[in-house]
């Protein structure tokens, strides 16, 4: 079970694979598309794990 407030790694992996396959099919280069997918997943993890200001 994931700790509260942490990003689930399964979602990051799913985002990387799905976006990589879609982008790879669009540009006809699977390896480059997968690299872009990993970058998108990294952005997702960074956005989800940023600290929220306490009110």
């Amino acid at each position: 079970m994931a700790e509260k407030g942490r990003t689930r790694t399964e979602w990051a992996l799913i985002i990387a694979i799905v976006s990589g396959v879609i982008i790879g099919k669009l540009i006809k280069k699977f390896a480059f598309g997968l690299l872009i997918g990993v970058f998108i997943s990294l952005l997702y993890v960074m956005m989800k794990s940023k600290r929220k200001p306490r009110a």
Side-chain angles (χ1 to χ4, degrees):
M1 197 64 132
E3 295 176 17
K4 187 175 182 178
R6 292 204 42 182
T7 306
R8 291 184 54 144
T9 54
E10 294 88 10
W11 281 109
L13 181 63
I14 290 169
I15 290 172
I17 292 172
V18 170
S19 60
V21 168
I22 291 171
I23 294 170
K25 291 224 182 236
L26 288 175
I27 63 174
K28 306 283 192 243
K29 289 190 177 187
F30 180 73
F32 188 66
L34 196 58
L35 183 67
I36 293 173
V38 169
F39 180 71
I40 291 171
S41 175
L42 181 65
L43 288 176
Y44 165 76
V45 169
M46 286 174 33
M47 288 186 336
K48 283 290 192 175
S49 64
K50 70 178 182 179
R51 295 196 178 248
K52 296 177 179 82
R54 295 186 181 202

